[in-house]
Amino acid sequence: MHFSRFFKMALILGLLSAIGPFAIDMYLPALPEIGASLGASVGAVQWSLTAFFLSLGAGQLLYGPVSDMVGRKPPLYFGLALFTLASVGCALATDIETLIALRFVQGLGAAAGMAIPRAVVRDLHTGTDAARLMSLLMLVFSVSPILAPLAGSGVIALAGWRGVFWVVAVAAVAGLALVYGSLGETRPAADRVESSLGGALAAYGLLLRDWHYLGLVFIGGCAMAGFFVYLAGSPFVLINHYGLTPTQYSLAFSVNAAAFIGTSQFTAALGERFGLVRLVKAAATGSGVVMVAMLSYYLLGGDELAVLIGLYFVASALMGLVIPTTSVLALEKHGAIAGTASALLGTLQMLTGAAAMGIVGLFANGKPLPMVVGMATGALVGVALAWITLAGHSDQSVAAARA
């Protein structure tokens, strides 16, 4: 593919992939304001985030097989249109129940942008070109937790919390225009002949019977669950309890995202030197120790923001080693169905995070302790799963680490 066309494709797929993450991260600084505006409790407002994660995770399981059967563009049109309509509804919502329902619908639409761009990359490229294009898409996911809260706080300052939903609706319309005018169908009719719902269900069944695969998925899922609990609780804790402004909150959130991004760049090098299995065990255990220290601090009556941010910075850095490494190990034995295995991995981890948010939301009161208990619980369950799942498994060779 010509150089300019390659980056044009990366821009289109990157925008489609970013719609879901931006609809999450731009929204975070607005959570306390939404609660005040709609007269809703902390737990009820957090459910508007949980509902989005639930549908965003479950929807990917549907879009993958459907895009194999009917092509990539029709489900993209459907998902982006659904996302746009739901975003407009969210902007006009007058009560928290309506907002929660529409956020669920919005997540169903965003799932198309999460699942289908990866399939388009596989349709167009193999080898180094595929790796380069996929790395650009992954960069979008890495950068969005840094930029989106800052952008969201700016939009909130200018247009209130409803402005966030108008902005993401406009982004989805731009995505529709790009899909229509610039993205060709990458899965022609001849390639769809052997695709069927039965084949997809058989592959999912195989994976759900593989306990080693599931163990690795849920090690990463526990790490993500702790992050999702922080995602839902931190706006109330940092803004309402500790008194940060939305912009200050966005900067604090970005620091932890930067820790995750920074350490994740070293997974390959550390895996080559120490082995992927040892890396997962060490990083998961280290994260558990840090979270136990944080929990102990709050149980003993501590309440300093610097301690919360500092310890979670370290935990985030360790999660940056756990999540990508467990993904590599989980997919290692499922190369023939790597796309299906990747989709199921993403769905199960997102649903784990959504469930953790929902449970912690039942006890949320705007104080740090319920959030910290949820984060520490996720970390400790991840430690247990790491040592159980990887017991008896040797460290990977240099070649396997590179793979």
Side-chain angles (χ1 to χ4, degrees):
M1 180 178 286
H2 188 270
F3 183 83
S4 63
R5 290 182 61 198
F6 182 92
F7 282 96
K8 180 181 178 181
M9 183 61 62
L11 178 63
I12 295 170
L13 298 180
L15 175 59
L16 297 177
S17 300
I19 287 174
F22 264 74
I24 298 166
D25 298 326
M26 282 188 70
Y27 177 68
L28 296 178
L31 292 184
E33 184 180 328
I34 290 171
S37 174
L38 301 180
S41 67
V42 172
V45 176
Q46 287 180 342
W47 263 104
S48 68
L49 187 60
T50 302
F52 186 91
F53 275 112
L54 286 171
S55 57
L56 184 65
Q60 293 181 60
L61 292 178
L62 177 65
Y63 284 111
V66 168
S67 72
D68 285 340
M69 290 184 279
V70 304
R72 309 303 185 199
K73 293 183 71 169
L76 273 175
Y77 286 138
F78 175 82
L80 290 170
L82 185 65
F83 180 91
T84 302
L85 293 174
S87 298
V88 172
C90 288
L92 301 175
T94 57
D95 58 76
I96 192 63
E97 292 79 13
T98 301
L99 182 64
I100 292 171
L102 288 170
R103 284 286 281 176
F104 184 87
V105 177
Q106 192 187 37
L108 285 177
M114 296 286 284
I116 296 175
R118 292 192 299 263
V120 172
V121 172
R122 290 195 297 272
D123 292 340
L124 292 175
H125 296 291
T126 59
T128 55
D129 280 345
R132 189 194 314 169
L133 188 52
M134 188 66 77
S135 70
L136 291 175
L137 302 188
M138 292 301 101
L139 183 61
V140 171
F141 288 105
S142 298
V143 171
S144 66
I146 296 178
L147 298 182
L150 294 170
S153 62
V155 171
I156 294 163
L158 293 173
W161 67 267
R162 298 180 189 275
V164 170
F165 292 108
W166 289 114
V167 168
V168 295
V170 170
V173 171
L176 277 168
L178 285 173
V179 171
Y180 178 78
S182 303
L183 182 65
E185 177 56 66
T186 60
R187 187 169 176 81
D191 293 340
R192 306 173 205 160
V193 175
E194 296 183 0
S195 299
S196 67
L197 183 59
L201 292 175
Y204 284 136
L206 173 67
L207 293 166
L208 290 172
R209 294 191 299 270
D210 185 339
W211 293 106
H212 183 68
Y213 166 84
L214 292 175
L216 288 162
V217 167
F218 284 113
I219 295 167
C222 287
M224 292 185 68
F227 171 68
F228 283 12
V229 168
Y230 181 77
L231 201 71
S234 60
F236 298 98
V237 173
L238 271 64
I239 295 174
N240 288 352
H241 180 71
Y242 286 115
L244 298 188
T245 66
T247 300
Q248 289 171 333
Y249 164 76
S250 300
L251 291 171
F253 188 89
S254 299
V255 166
N256 291 321
F260 181 95
I261 296 166
T263 56
S264 67
Q265 306 307 307
F266 295 99
T267 52
L270 292 172
E272 287 182 357
R273 181 166 183 177
F274 300 108
L276 297 181
V277 170
R278 291 175 64 191
L279 181 60
V280 170
K281 288 180 178 178
T285 302
S287 178
V289 170
V290 172
M291 291 312 304
V292 167
M294 184 189 295
L295 178 59
S296 300
Y297 173 77
Y298 278 97
L299 287 174
L300 292 173
D303 196 17
E304 290 292 332
L305 176 60
V307 174
L308 174 63
I309 292 178
L311 289 177
Y312 194 59
F313 179 89
V314 178
S316 294
L318 291 167
M319 285 193 296
L321 300 175
V322 171
I323 292 175
T325 307
T326 51
S327 298
V328 170
L329 291 173
L331 300 179
E332 189 174 32
K333 297 181 180 178
H334 294 290
I337 51 171
T340 301
S342 178
L344 183 60
L345 179 148
T347 295
L348 290 177
Q349 290 186 343
M350 194 158 290
L351 292 179
T352 300
M357 280 196 301
I359 294 170
V360 174
L362 297 175
F363 304 95
N365 57 7
K367 305 293 184 182
L369 187 57
M371 180 183 76
V372 172
V373 169
M375 293 159 62
T377 301
L380 291 176
V381 173
V383 173
L385 281 176
W387 287 91
I388 293 170
T389 301
L390 299 176
H393 288 266
S394 61
D395 290 323
Q396 307 302 300
S397 65
V398 172
R402 288 200 183 105

